[in-house]
Structure formats: C-alpha cells, structure tokens
Amino acid sequence: MAPENGESRVIARKVIILDISLITAAEMVGIAAIVLALGVTYWLVGKPNSH
C-alpha cells in the first residue's frame, strides 16, 4: 500500500529542513538509507507488469 500524499510530503519536508551542523554522521547515513529505500520502493511499485 502506497503512502498518502501527505505522508510523503512530511518525509520530504523533514529531509529538506535538516540542519546539517546539528546531526551526526550516523543520523545522516540513516536518513540516506531511508530516502534510498523509499526511492527503490516507489520505483518497484511504479513499474508496469511485464505480463
């Protein structure tokens, strides 16, 4: 089930307004992993069926 538009906007807003000087390297890696996972999921869900 895909997230509602409001949920994806909240995630995007959180990533955009991050203050880079206040977060640790581990937090940055975690955020990068979440963004990558969301992108891959969106790509997989959006692929048309080959049948």
Side-chain angles (χ1 to χ4, degrees):
M1 178 179 224
E4 298 295 323
N5 284 340
E7 293 174 11
S8 60
R9 281 188 222 140
V10 170
I11 293 170
R13 190 178 310 129
K14 295 282 185 192
V15 172
I16 291 170
I17 63 171
L18 284 175
D19 188 357
I20 303 299
S21 63
L22 298 178
I23 63 173
T24 65
E27 290 172 328
M28 182 67 80
V29 169
I31 292 167
I34 291 169
V35 170
L36 181 63
L38 288 171
V40 169
T41 303
Y42 182 78
W43 177 69
L44 288 173
V45 170
K47 287 179 76 170
N49 291 335
S50 60
H51 299 294

